Amino acid sequence: MPHESVAKGFSGVWLGQSTNFATVGWSKGSDRQVAIWDSRKATKPCTVQTIDVSSSALSPVYDADLCVLYLVERGTKTFMYEVVKSDPWITAVGKFEAKSTQSGATMLPKRVCNVMNCEVSRWLYATSNDGVDVVSFFMPRKDKTIFQEDLFPPAECGEPAVSASEYLSGKAIVPMTKSLRPAGVKSVYELSEEDGGRSRARDQMRHLGNAPEAASDGSSAAGGKTQIFSEGNLMLAVEGFLWNSWQEAYLSIQGRTLYVFQNKDAAVPLVSIPLDVKTDTGLARPVDDEPTQLEVAVCQNGKLVGRRVFKANNSADRNSWILSINQAQEQALIAPRASEAQSSSSTSTSSSDRVTDDDSSASSNVNYHLNGYLLKYTEGYFWNSWQRQFFSVDGGVLKMQASDSATEVTESILLDKVTSIYEASNIENANFCFKIATPTRTWTLQAPDDETMQKWISTLEAVSRSLKAAKADDGDEDAADIDDDNTSSNVVEGYLSVKTGLWSMWSRQWVTGVKTEVLTFKNATSSEPTRRIPLNQVKTIDISDKDVELAFMIRMIDGTTHHFTAQVRSERDEWLSALQEMRTNMQGTVDMLDALTIDLTQLSTVQLKAIEDALKNVIDPNKVKAGGQPLLLRINAGKRFVRATCVALNLSSLNLDSILILDLGAQLIQWNGTKASRMQKAKAMDVTTRIRQKERGGNCVLHVIEQGSPEEDPSKSNPAKLFWQHVNGGKFVSQEQMNAAVLSDIEKDDIVKLYRVSDKKVSLIHQGKPPSKDRLNSKLTYVVESGPMVMVWNGKSSTKEAKKLALHTAQVLQANILKSGSSFSMVLRLMENGETTLWKECFRDYPGELPISMQRQSLVSNISGRKDQKPIDIARMHSEERPAAARTFSTAGGRVQVWRVDDYHKTPLPEALYGHFWSNQSFLIRFTYKEGNSDRVILYFWQGRGSSINEKGASAYLTKELGDENKEVESKHVRVPQGFEPTDFLAVFGNKFIVHLGPYKEKWNTVDALFGVRGSTELDSYPHEVPIKSSSLHSHHAFVLYSTKGKSFVWIGKQANDAESSRARELGASWSATTITEGNETDEFFATLGGKQGYTPNASARYQPKLFTFSGVSGTVECNQEFEVCQDALNARCVHVLDMGPSTVYVWFGASSGVQDKKIALQAAVDYVLQSKLGHNKDSTKLVVTKAGCESELFKSAFRSFITTSTNPVWEQPLSEVQKEYLRDVYSYAELISDDLPAQVDRTKLEIYLTKEEFEKLFHMTKEAYDALPHWKQLNTKKAIGLY
């Protein structure tokens, strides 16, 4: 027994609204203990945990919002425990120790917490010196701009919910609460999980269980452990006249009700069991002497009216269902009933509906509550009638009652079972009617007016869609495919002649085709269909062989045929078109294995490597980025969308109506056809920008070639030369020689097919215009077929079997494309969070994508106001010092594990290679160390400069998965880009850290290599591989030359520091290298480097380079120092100033940098030299301008490792010459309309460069009058004179 030392006393606290409570006390050995009890069986505790040995008393305080139990002692310590509702019941999560002794403490109300800083609790501690300390506890969250609603549910507002007399009379109450969400702030539930949001449905289910992971499919609990079920199959006991029997049933917990259905597809329950009733014990309990049976109490108006008995497959499932139902009962009693509050606050019983929304979040549609009077069409024995009933949407259920004051629910419809909701016509001359269809029945309802009808339809659709989306979040494959289009738009209905009966007689019936199925009724108002034709079981829909004018037939997969006849041919054609489109959109539930001739049994014997080898033209993002796999993208103007697709790299892909983008890795060459539209050009700009910024990190140059311009001639332009070399073997094709017709396959490129792949099923879930990205589910795998492209997308939680089947599906689809006569097809493999531009182009709503549509868009100005330019602080540029790198932990005795990212998986690195990294690879590092008596874990993910965007994305989520493997030990995740290694990271590997060029190679020492050693301390002077040539040598640093055949060397530059020399010698010693100093090289040394060409000794004094960034993204150009002088610090959208010492200062122009950035940076560089106290002066210091892709070896030598694939010649100009052009602010009209306009001219405001006289002569008005014109009028005026 716990707390055996009763003499010392003990304290307790109720754990929220549950039946559990906690106590604290002492054992006989003076051990302080905490125990958890269930008040329903308090003979022994659920668990007892020993805290420590102390005589100080503990006071328990419980935070029901976070399920955290605080134990505050009369001393300095506060212990924190997380409380759950099943084993292990309580888990220690932390300890706070105050600096001064405390005599008491109290937790303040949640409404005083700073919720935007994730302050989860605030305390007042009374100290021994008669003072009060305020202590806050915070939950670590990255994004402090959104409201973390999962941490801050509605809190008690401090207002009384009942009067004193009501309280004393024993009235059941729910405390008054208010939302803590600040006005105008987005909730974490309003964001997608990709953007850092959370799933409300998943959190609610986890909170319901508060320990085990929610299982929504009712599957068996593994290993006999309990799970939390929300729905599943059981057997229901049915009482008979002579004996009882068992009937199959499907149970579903929805809000405050347990529904029992005949099967999973049924929408109307056999039994509805209220959960929000108070009982001494839980509603569910086991049946004595029956290990698989349970019984559930059925109560009405607080009184027991009966029990329902169910039978599970095994005792583990029985226990799981008992736990699930009883915890759902607890949640139903705690949660406020918003719809009832709304009803009780309103005394009106008019026919108008009432709508409330518990949450301002548009994404939480399951919380909508709508009620009001409607008419329901009821079929009678002698005649039919309309009945007025009160309808209410409570959570995910549509309830029907005789009136708004009635307590009995006459009928319920679960909205997640609804297949369609649509406006109805021809209902006995009744207006404002709509229908609700489920797999077993259809209801016809009438609203008082059109506005009310539309409100009911839209709300019911929203609730139904949200419920299905919540199921999709939890991995329900059938719910994962949610239609993007409005439900009511996918309806076709009317009277047709239908073959019925044994003798196949024709009868006139009402036929409805609605999204998922075709239903036939006796008439337009019938609720029970006479025939149900699921579209996912349809084989073909064709014109009838017997009556080609008016009839059509639907052939089923099982061989049956349904015949229909219309009145006129046009009506028949409309039915054919509508049903065929619905069938195409419903193919997602049809298994496509037979259609694709995929044999799962045979596939199980095939190795994944064999499938990979069979694929042709596989796109490797690493090769594309390095320029080793050129790609040709085409911007097509489809019927509805402007998209980019991959096409064959030959002349057949060119036409006058398209735009081509040749991707050469470091260069993008855009070729604009003469008939390409402005929308295509806008899309091309969007695509090239995303490739350069998102996939290449800004290290990519764009060249634009207009068809028919002089730049298109390969003899006059290097980009044109490269373009025609790749597209047509170097042969130029003029505009006159090119066929002006649009290629036929452009129509095909506008069609996107999306396949969903699970372990044993392939489904075509979409065919047509680009679908929504919301169709993708992290637990599944998808294949996209778009024109000649086949792409495989693996969700981060998808299985290996699904990935293998998806890759084989891509193999089959590619083979089918090539068999159809196409000479070109490519395959692209992707991982979630590693999507490329090509993949995103197949969807219509990826974040950051420019939405190009074929319709007029409203014009909205998003231009920020201009800020006044502040002068650059030159003194700060000279004085700012690198902040000291502080060590945050000791590596002594630590344990390290390393994995490399390989094909979206982590592969352990051999221990002999720990410390070796490759620039084209990403790695995961787990370092475990001791802090006191506790283990601490840091997870690093090191991303090489040349690793693909897929690998970088995979490294991030694999790190998260690695951290989730051991949740008992909290882990810190740190991203480490190459060149930005922090001191702690380097200390983990000590003198073993080394960076190689290129992809991972286990036997890296089979080729010659040159390693540079540069830095200021022993830790940061690590070896990094550089191109093996003499020009890589630099007098300021040390180098190690590794040779596989001859002698290895350690080369010490004349001005290398002690740290560099020591580290180089240490590395060379492991290879028995010979140490030489600069100026004493042997012929063998330079022979290994390929000769002495390019090597130039540097006699200047050693100087630590300084790099500054000039950027105007904030509206004014600002200067900031980059303390890591590495290649990744260079930004293509910025201008950089590189101080290499008193001898040279560079100004580097990014490929996309702005004119104003360049002007400010040029002048700042001049001022930097003039005001320098470090030896710079205007006479001896060279001020040089260079640009991206044209850097000299001297410029590159300032960086630890500078890798470029550019073949452009070196471009350097004296700063004074360049500055003259940028300071020029007046140009003639002739210069402004010429093709070779200087780069520094703002092409959107050409008119500002005209003189006053020339401006007035051309515009026939003054500049002041022109500035007063509306923007559209200014544009038209400029166009009229060609200045646009």
PDB file of all heavy atoms in Angstrom, residues 799-811:
ATOM      1  N   THR A 799       4.216   2.500 -46.760  1.00  0.00           N
ATOM      2  CA  THR A 799       4.918   1.241 -46.494  1.00  0.00           C
ATOM      3  C   THR A 799       5.867   0.888 -47.633  1.00  0.00           C
ATOM      4  O   THR A 799       5.740   1.390 -48.749  1.00  0.00           O
ATOM      5  CB  THR A 799       3.907   0.101 -46.318  1.00  0.00           C
ATOM      6  OG1 THR A 799       3.179  -0.075 -47.549  1.00  0.00           O
ATOM      7  CG2 THR A 799       2.921   0.413 -45.203  1.00  0.00           C
ATOM      8  N   LYS A 800       6.791  -0.020 -47.349  1.00  0.00           N
ATOM      9  CA  LYS A 800       7.731  -0.470 -48.373  1.00  0.00           C
ATOM     10  C   LYS A 800       6.998  -1.208 -49.492  1.00  0.00           C
ATOM     11  O   LYS A 800       7.372  -1.094 -50.668  1.00  0.00           O
ATOM     12  CB  LYS A 800       8.791  -1.375 -47.746  1.00  0.00           C
ATOM     13  CG  LYS A 800       9.755  -0.660 -46.815  1.00  0.00           C
ATOM     14  CD  LYS A 800      10.825  -1.612 -46.296  1.00  0.00           C
ATOM     15  CE  LYS A 800      11.805  -0.877 -45.376  1.00  0.00           C
ATOM     16  NZ  LYS A 800      12.843  -1.785 -44.836  1.00  0.00           N
ATOM     17  N   GLU A 801       5.960  -1.978 -49.141  1.00  0.00           N
ATOM     18  CA  GLU A 801       5.218  -2.716 -50.155  1.00  0.00           C
ATOM     19  C   GLU A 801       4.528  -1.757 -51.117  1.00  0.00           C
ATOM     20  O   GLU A 801       4.504  -1.976 -52.334  1.00  0.00           O
ATOM     21  CB  GLU A 801       4.186  -3.634 -49.491  1.00  0.00           C
ATOM     22  CG  GLU A 801       4.776  -4.797 -48.721  1.00  0.00           C
ATOM     23  CD  GLU A 801       5.343  -4.377 -47.370  1.00  0.00           C
ATOM     24  OE1 GLU A 801       5.093  -3.220 -46.949  1.00  0.00           O
ATOM     25  OE2 GLU A 801       6.046  -5.192 -46.738  1.00  0.00           O
ATOM     26  N   ALA A 802       3.944  -0.665 -50.566  1.00  0.00           N
ATOM     27  CA  ALA A 802       3.276   0.318 -51.420  1.00  0.00           C
ATOM     28  C   ALA A 802       4.275   1.020 -52.333  1.00  0.00           C
ATOM     29  O   ALA A 802       3.990   1.279 -53.504  1.00  0.00           O
ATOM     30  CB  ALA A 802       2.523   1.333 -50.561  1.00  0.00           C
ATOM     31  N   LYS A 803       5.465   1.327 -51.815  1.00  0.00           N
ATOM     32  CA  LYS A 803       6.487   1.987 -52.635  1.00  0.00           C
ATOM     33  C   LYS A 803       6.932   1.089 -53.779  1.00  0.00           C
ATOM     34  O   LYS A 803       7.134   1.543 -54.914  1.00  0.00           O
ATOM     35  CB  LYS A 803       7.678   2.373 -51.767  1.00  0.00           C
ATOM     36  CG  LYS A 803       7.371   3.456 -50.738  1.00  0.00           C
ATOM     37  CD  LYS A 803       8.567   3.713 -49.830  1.00  0.00           C
ATOM     38  CE  LYS A 803       8.214   4.740 -48.759  1.00  0.00           C
ATOM     39  NZ  LYS A 803       9.330   4.965 -47.816  1.00  0.00           N
ATOM     40  N   LYS A 804       7.061  -0.203 -53.504  1.00  0.00           N
ATOM     41  CA  LYS A 804       7.478  -1.145 -54.542  1.00  0.00           C
ATOM     42  C   LYS A 804       6.394  -1.277 -55.605  1.00  0.00           C
ATOM     43  O   LYS A 804       6.676  -1.258 -56.810  1.00  0.00           O
ATOM     44  CB  LYS A 804       7.771  -2.512 -53.904  1.00  0.00           C
ATOM     45  CG  LYS A 804       8.233  -3.571 -54.892  1.00  0.00           C
ATOM     46  CD  LYS A 804       8.536  -4.876 -54.157  1.00  0.00           C
ATOM     47  CE  LYS A 804       8.972  -5.963 -55.126  1.00  0.00           C
ATOM     48  NZ  LYS A 804       9.258  -7.235 -54.411  1.00  0.00           N
ATOM     49  N   LEU A 805       5.130  -1.391 -55.174  1.00  0.00           N
ATOM     50  CA  LEU A 805       4.026  -1.494 -56.126  1.00  0.00           C
ATOM     51  C   LEU A 805       3.894  -0.218 -56.946  1.00  0.00           C
ATOM     52  O   LEU A 805       3.610  -0.272 -58.149  1.00  0.00           O
ATOM     53  CB  LEU A 805       2.717  -1.788 -55.372  1.00  0.00           C
ATOM     54  CG  LEU A 805       1.452  -1.921 -56.230  1.00  0.00           C
ATOM     55  CD1 LEU A 805       1.627  -2.973 -57.317  1.00  0.00           C
ATOM     56  CD2 LEU A 805       0.251  -2.253 -55.343  1.00  0.00           C
ATOM     57  N   ALA A 806       4.112   0.936 -56.320  1.00  0.00           N
ATOM     58  CA  ALA A 806       4.026   2.208 -57.049  1.00  0.00           C
ATOM     59  C   ALA A 806       5.105   2.290 -58.124  1.00  0.00           C
ATOM     60  O   ALA A 806       4.855   2.748 -59.247  1.00  0.00           O
ATOM     61  CB  ALA A 806       4.156   3.377 -56.081  1.00  0.00           C
ATOM     62  N   LEU A 807       6.314   1.859 -57.799  1.00  0.00           N
ATOM     63  CA  LEU A 807       7.399   1.902 -58.776  1.00  0.00           C
ATOM     64  C   LEU A 807       7.120   0.953 -59.945  1.00  0.00           C
ATOM     65  O   LEU A 807       7.401   1.277 -61.104  1.00  0.00           O
ATOM     66  CB  LEU A 807       8.717   1.545 -58.095  1.00  0.00           C
ATOM     67  CG  LEU A 807       9.989   1.986 -58.833  1.00  0.00           C
ATOM     68  CD1 LEU A 807      10.025   3.499 -58.952  1.00  0.00           C
ATOM     69  CD2 LEU A 807      11.230   1.511 -58.098  1.00  0.00           C
ATOM     70  N   HIS A 808       6.533  -0.209 -59.624  1.00  0.00           N
ATOM     71  CA  HIS A 808       6.176  -1.144 -60.700  1.00  0.00           C
ATOM     72  C   HIS A 808       5.038  -0.574 -61.545  1.00  0.00           C
ATOM     73  O   HIS A 808       5.014  -0.754 -62.766  1.00  0.00           O
ATOM     74  CB  HIS A 808       5.758  -2.483 -60.099  1.00  0.00           C
ATOM     75  CG  HIS A 808       5.435  -3.530 -61.128  1.00  0.00           C
ATOM     76  ND1 HIS A 808       6.333  -3.924 -62.110  1.00  0.00           N
ATOM     77  CD2 HIS A 808       4.298  -4.247 -61.350  1.00  0.00           C
ATOM     78  CE1 HIS A 808       5.770  -4.849 -62.873  1.00  0.00           C
ATOM     79  NE2 HIS A 808       4.542  -5.050 -62.431  1.00  0.00           N
ATOM     80  N   THR A 809       4.102   0.130 -60.902  1.00  0.00           N
ATOM     81  CA  THR A 809       3.022   0.789 -61.655  1.00  0.00           C
ATOM     82  C   THR A 809       3.602   1.819 -62.616  1.00  0.00           C
ATOM     83  O   THR A 809       3.170   1.922 -63.768  1.00  0.00           O
ATOM     84  CB  THR A 809       2.049   1.465 -60.669  1.00  0.00           C
ATOM     85  OG1 THR A 809       1.516   0.485 -59.783  1.00  0.00           O
ATOM     86  CG2 THR A 809       0.919   2.146 -61.424  1.00  0.00           C
ATOM     87  N   ALA A 810       4.586   2.583 -62.162  1.00  0.00           N
ATOM     88  CA  ALA A 810       5.251   3.551 -63.035  1.00  0.00           C
ATOM     89  C   ALA A 810       5.929   2.841 -64.202  1.00  0.00           C
ATOM     90  O   ALA A 810       5.911   3.329 -65.344  1.00  0.00           O
ATOM     91  CB  ALA A 810       6.263   4.362 -62.235  1.00  0.00           C
ATOM     92  N   GLN A 811       6.516   1.681 -63.935  1.00  0.00           N
ATOM     93  CA  GLN A 811       7.164   0.905 -65.000  1.00  0.00           C
ATOM     94  C   GLN A 811       6.147   0.490 -66.052  1.00  0.00           C
ATOM     95  O   GLN A 811       6.391   0.604 -67.265  1.00  0.00           O
ATOM     96  CB  GLN A 811       7.835  -0.335 -64.389  1.00  0.00           C
ATOM     97  CG  GLN A 811       8.501  -1.241 -65.408  1.00  0.00           C
ATOM     98  CD  GLN A 811       8.961  -2.549 -64.772  1.00  0.00           C
ATOM     99  OE1 GLN A 811       8.845  -2.740 -63.562  1.00  0.00           O
ATOM    100  NE2 GLN A 811       9.474  -3.452 -65.580  1.00  0.00           N
TER     101      GLN A 811
END
